[in-house]
Amino acid sequence: MRPTGRRSSTRAGGAARAITLAVLLVTSGVRPVRALDVFTLWRQPNVPLRLTEGDWADYRFQVTAGGKQEQSLTRVACLDRAAGTDDQAWVVEVLPLSEEPGGRLVPVPGEGLQLRLSRKVLTRTGNLLDHVLGARQWTGGRVTEMSATQLREDPLVADSFREDFLAAVVTAGQATTRVVGGVQYLCDQSVMAAADTQTVSLPAGNLRQVTTRELTAATNPDLPFLGLAYATERVRADSSLDRPGGRLRPPPARVRVEIMELVAHGRGARPVLGR
């Protein structure tokens, strides 16, 4: 989920570089699935934000783009003081899950991310990376220690932590009831929208891309983290050339739809990574 709402213009020094920039521009609408998508709305003031020691939540993601569909499961857990949480920061684990034949969700062994997240995150300022004091990442059972400085220097990890959204327009919807783990929750529903315009100056003219994002979220303050019971996001990227008729053709519109659903939550979270 890339930030939107800003307008930018890029002028290339040569035709080859301009074409490269154009390719990057028109393909930027398709993004990989990110485990931290659960925090995308953390800056949005109409969305609840709380971290409570011991809370855990399991989310199911479904992404549809380019005629393909991907699904994934993620657990977010805020650990207690025995696991390192203190007055300055929470220790949070983000774990990929697998679903057993009986429907039980279990963490994928040796995979995940453990964050030390500053309590200043509740101020909703800056980006999420500003509030990460350190991290440990597990891949294939091997752990890598990462300081806040190292996180900023790692382009892939840093890009994931900048995944946030601040709407330009918020519309309140009708309250809705969602069932999570057999319990009914009356949720506030809101529609949040923003747009981003980018241009690249080419010999054939200016290539312009407008990316619009619309998120609909159902929230209840009794649910953990951002109170999300359900959220859906629709991203559409439209490109145009101000001097059509040459060799360069703008690409067709690209649409991406993502659904996030809370499937279970509870108390008494225990550390999984590093046990």
Side-chain angles (χ1 to χ4, degrees), residues 184-218:
Q184 290 187 348
Y185 291 91
L186 182 62
C187 298
D188 294 327
Q189 191 163 230
S190 56
V191 180
M192 296 156 279
D196 172 56
T197 300
Q198 293 179 298
T199 60
V200 174
S201 296
L202 304 172
N206 293 322
L207 182 64
R208 181 172 181 264
Q209 178 177 281
V210 178
T211 302
T212 56
R213 294 179 66 188
E214 184 178 276
L215 287 93
T216 301

Side-chain angles (χ1 to χ4, degrees), residues 2-273:
R2 297 189 181 282
T4 60
R6 294 175 294 181
R7 182 181 298 269
S8 62
S9 178
T10 305
R11 297 188 177 275
R17 187 182 173 198
I19 292 172
T20 300
L21 288 170
V23 171
L24 290 173
L25 176 63
V26 300
T27 58
S28 64
V30 176
R31 302 159 291 127
V33 178
R34 301 184 190 274
L36 289 179
D37 280 356
V38 68
F39 291 113
T40 297
L41 293 170
W42 74 278
R43 291 184 62 200
Q44 194 62 42
N46 61 298
V47 173
L49 173 61
R50 67 180 179 90
L51 280 86
T52 303
E53 298 167 26
D55 273 356
W56 62 268
D58 292 348
Y59 302 91
R60 186 185 303 274
F61 293 88
Q62 179 178 298
V63 182
T64 303
K68 298 181 179 180
Q69 189 177 95
E70 300 176 24
Q71 294 194 34
S72 62
L73 292 155
T74 297
R75 175 172 297 167
V76 180
C78 184
L79 305 183
D80 60 17
R81 306 241 165 182
T85 289
D86 55 33
D87 291 339
Q88 283 70 50
W90 294 280
V91 175
V92 176
E93 287 190 343
V94 182
L95 308 166
L97 303 176
S98 62
E99 189 168 3
E100 295 183 335
R104 181 169 172 258
L105 304 182
V106 295
V108 177
E111 300 289 332
L113 186 67
Q114 191 178 85
L115 306 173
R116 185 167 170 78
L117 194 59
S118 170
R119 291 182 180 257
K120 292 182 180 179
V121 72
L122 297 181
T123 64
R124 300 184 190 253
T125 57
N127 60 60
L128 194 59
L129 187 59
D130 296 333
H131 304 291
V132 177
L133 305 180
R136 294 194 294 171
Q137 186 168 21
W138 274 260
T139 305
R142 302 184 66 177
V143 60
T144 301
E145 298 274 354
M146 304 184 77
S147 66
T149 300
Q150 289 171 323
L151 286 171
R152 287 181 173 84
E153 293 173 350
D154 187 311
L156 294 178
V157 176
D159 190 50
S160 296
F161 283 115
R162 293 190 183 105
E163 289 297 316
D164 55 24
F165 175 82
L166 194 58
V169 178
V170 179
T171 305
Q174 187 174 3
T176 183
T177 299
R178 302 291 303 183
V179 179
V180 181
V183 178
Q184 290 187 348
Y185 291 91
L186 182 62
C187 298
D188 294 327
Q189 191 163 230
S190 56
V191 180
M192 296 156 279
D196 172 56
T197 300
Q198 293 179 298
T199 60
V200 174
S201 296
L202 304 172
N206 293 322
L207 182 64
R208 181 172 181 264
Q209 178 177 281
V210 178
T211 302
T212 56
R213 294 179 66 188
E214 184 178 276
L215 287 93
T216 301
T219 62
N220 182 299
D222 293 334
L223 296 174
F225 304 110
L226 275 73
L228 288 168
Y230 181 87
T232 181
E233 177 193 37
R234 187 177 186 271
V235 181
R236 180 183 174 94
D238 291 283
S239 301
S240 61
L241 193 63
D242 64 358
R243 283 185 285 169
R247 290 185 177 182
L248 182 62
R249 294 284 189 275
R254 306 169 73 93
V255 178
R256 173 187 173 96
V257 177
E258 181 170 349
I259 297 172
M260 185 183 81
E261 181 181 12
L262 178 66
V263 295
H265 70 95
R267 299 278 302 153
R270 295 290 182 268
V272 171
L273 301 171

